[in-house]
Amino acid sequence: MTRDDLFNTNASIVQGVAAACAKACPNAMFLIISNPVNSTVPIFAETLKKAGVYNKKRLFGVTTLDIVRANTFVAENQGFDVNTTNVPVVGGHAGTTILPLLSQVPGAKFSEEDIAKLTHRIQFGGDEVVAAKAGTGSATLSMAFAGKHFASRLISAMKGEKNVVECTFVENDLTSAPFFSTKVRLGPNGVEEILPVGPLSAFEADSLSKLVPDLIVQANKGIQFANK
C-alpha cells in the first residue's frame, strides 16, 4: 500500500475523528499516528481550526517509530546498548522526509558508507517489515510500542515530570514547512518549548534542504483536503 493509498483510506477517517473530538473533548491532547502523518496532522489541525478549538501545543504527530528504528540500527552498528542510545530524528514521517541526525549521537563514529546505509534503512525500515511478512502486513508491534512510548512520556510531562524531551511532528517555524518533527520539551500543557535542530553535518544539511519542499507539498495536500 502506497502513501497515496493510505491517504485515500485515512484522510476522511482522521477528519471525522477530529470533528468529533472538536465537539466532545476540544482541550484534549491529540496524538496522531495514522499515516501519512505528514498529511493527517494538517487535516486534524484544519478541522479543529474550523471548529475554533485548535491549539498547536496540544496536537502531535507521533514519529517515535523512526526514533525506535534509528536507536536500534545505530546500536547494532556501533555496539551500543540500545536502551541508552538516543538518535534525534527530524523532518517528517515518510521516506526521505525522515532525517536521522547521526552526527549528534554521542560517542559514535560512522563511515560515509555507514551514514548512507543507516539513513536509508531508517527512512525505509517499514519496507523491511512488509518484505518479512511477505506482503501480508506492515509494522504493528513496533508501531504499538512507539505509540505507547510517546503517550507515556507526554503523560509523565503532564503530571509534572521535568525536562521530558521527545521528537514529534508539530507546528513550528523552524523551517518553511508548517509542520516539522523536531525535539520538543513537553509539559503540563503539551508543547512547552520547540528545541532547535542543532548542528548538522554537510550531508544532513543537504538532506534537510531537500526534504522541506516535500513536507510543504504533503502538508498542503492535507490542508486542501480538509478545506474542500
Side-chain angles (χ1 to χ4, degrees), residues 67-87:
I67 291 88
V68 170
R69 286 175 174 155
N71 291 344
T72 301
F73 300 155
V74 166
E76 289 176 350
N77 178 272
Q78 295 288 302
F80 290 168
D81 178 354
V82 70
N83 295 307
T84 58
T85 302
N86 188 13
V87 184

Side-chain angles (χ1 to χ4, degrees), residues 97 176-177 207-220:
T97 68
S176 53
S207 298
L208 179 60
S209 69
K210 292 175 179 176
L211 71 83
V212 169
D214 290 337
L215 284 180
I216 294 171
V217 169
Q218 291 166 31
N220 285 339

Side-chain angles (χ1 to χ4, degrees), residues 1-9 36 221:
M1 182 177 284
T2 67
R3 293 278 163 175
D4 284 338
D5 292 331
L6 286 170
F7 182 92
N8 293 335
T9 299
K221 184 175 183 178

Side-chain angles (χ1 to χ4, degrees), residues 151-213:
S152 296
R153 293 288 282 161
L154 178 57
I155 290 169
S156 294
M158 291 169 67
K159 289 182 175 180
E161 183 176 330
K162 302 297 184 183
N163 203 34
V164 177
V165 175
E166 293 290 331
C167 290
T168 179
F169 189 69
V170 293
E171 181 181 339
N172 60 71
D173 58 5
L174 290 180
T175 70
S176 53
F179 292 86
F180 183 82
S181 185
T182 187
K183 290 174 284 188
V184 173
R185 182 171 286 108
L186 305 173
N189 296 308
V191 174
E192 185 173 284
E193 183 183 5
I194 303 291
L195 300 176
V197 172
L200 302 177
S201 68
F203 172 82
E204 291 161 355
D206 180 61
S207 298
L208 179 60
S209 69
K210 292 175 179 176
L211 71 83
V212 169

Side-chain angles (χ1 to χ4, degrees), residues 47-61:
T47 306
L48 295 180
K49 286 177 184 177
K50 283 184 177 181
V53 296
Y54 176 58
N55 183 344
K56 66 180 182 180
K57 293 184 176 183
R58 291 176 172 264
L59 178 62
F60 308 86

Side-chain angles (χ1 to χ4, degrees), residues 33 35 62-70 72-73 93 125-130 133 137-150:
I33 202 166
N35 279 318
V62 180
T63 59
T64 311
L65 182 54
D66 301 327
I67 291 88
V68 170
R69 286 175 174 155
T72 301
F73 300 155
H93 186 55
D127 293 351
E128 286 189 42
V129 179
V130 172
K133 293 186 176 183
S138 58
T140 50
L141 290 178
S142 55
M143 181 64 81
F145 174 84
K148 178 263 182 187
H149 174 85
F150 185 81

